[in-house]
Amino acid sequence: MANYPCSAVILAGGESKQCDDQKKESMAFDIRRAMDRLLSVLVPKFDEIILVTPDPLRCLEWDLVIVTEHFDDRGSLKGIHAGLLAASHPFALVTACAMPFVQSPVIELLWGAVQPHLDVIIPKTSRGLEPMAAIYSKRCLKPMAATLRNRQYALEKFFKQVRTLPIEETELLRCDADLISFCNLDSPEGLTVAERQWGRLTPESI
C-alpha cells in the first residue's frame, strides 16, 4: 500500500427508482447487508471511514463518522464533496453502499498509484470512468464546489478541471477478473448480478 494517508468515504443515497418494489424487497437495496460487506473490506485498511447519507438516523448502528451533503443538487458529486470535506487525511477512497463487492486488490492497486501531484486516481472500464471506486485528493474540494455552484452535475465537467490518472481495465482485470468491484446495485442489471454474488462471496474472499 502507498505511504500516503487515506480516508474511506461511503455514499449511501436513496433506493433506485428503476427497480420494481418486489425486487427491492427480496434483494432490496439492503443497506445493512451492503454496508457490512463493504466494512469487512474497508475497516482493516482505513483508520477513518466516513458515511455520507441524507438520512443519518438509519445509519446510527455503525460506528462511523456520519455527514450529510452541503449542496441540494442531483448526482453523486455532492456526496463525494461532503465526504472529502469531512476527511482528515489528504486523500480519500470514495465508494458507495450500492457497490458492496469492491475487491481488496483493486483498492490496493488504486492506493498504490497515489502520488502527491495527482488529484484523482480512478478505474476506467469499458463502460468508462468509475467515480464510485476512486481516490480523490482534498485539492479537489475547490473545483468540486465551483462545479456544484454552477449546477454542472456531470462528473465529466469536474474531471476536466483536475489531474486525473485513469487505471486501465487491463490492470483492473489482474485484480478483479470479473470486475465485480463495479457492480452497482442501483440498477436492475446490478441487482441480478448481486443476487448471484451474495451466496458466492464471503467477507474473507472479497
Side-chain angles (χ1 to χ4, degrees), residues 11-16 28-32 35 51-62 66 97-98:
L11 306 189
E15 294 177 346
S16 174
F29 191 79
D30 187 338
I31 186 173
R32 181 174 292 103
M35 281 292 298
L51 181 64
V52 182
T53 175
D55 188 5
L57 291 180
R58 71 172 179 167
C59 301
L60 295 179
E61 65 186 274
W62 294 288
I66 301 176
C97 190

Side-chain angles (χ1 to χ4, degrees), residues 4 11 14-15 18 30-31 48 52 70 74 83 87 107 152 154 161 182 188 191 195 198:
Y4 302 101
L11 306 189
E15 294 177 346
Q18 304 177 55
D30 187 338
I31 186 173
E48 178 179 67
V52 182
H70 304 279
R74 64 189 181 188
I107 294 174
Q152 297 174 325
Q161 304 175 55
F182 312 109
L191 285 176
E195 284 176 331
W198 287 125

Side-chain angles (χ1 to χ4, degrees), residues 71 81 141-152 161:
F71 290 89
H81 172 270
L141 284 170
K142 187 173 180 179
M144 280 181 181
T147 301
L148 288 164
R149 290 191 187 100
N150 291 331
R151 297 190 176 276
Q152 297 174 325
Q161 304 175 55

Side-chain angles (χ1 to χ4, degrees), residues 24 31 37 63 70 78 83 90 101 105 114 123 161 181 199:
K24 283 184 186 178
I31 186 173
R37 185 172 289 282
D63 184 20
H70 304 279
K78 64 178 181 178
F101 300 113
V114 171
Q161 304 175 55
S181 295

Side-chain angles (χ1 to χ4, degrees), residues 159-195:
F159 288 132
K160 291 179 180 178
Q161 304 175 55
V162 295
R163 292 164 292 188
T164 301
L165 174 66
I167 304 297
E168 299 295 335
E169 187 170 286
T170 51
E171 293 185 72
L172 297 168
L173 286 168
R174 297 189 190 105
C175 302
D176 181 359
D178 297 319
L179 297 181
I180 193 65
S181 295
F182 312 109
C183 170
N184 195 321
L185 302 187
D186 202 18
S187 71
E189 297 80 8
L191 285 176
T192 299
V193 172
E195 284 176 331

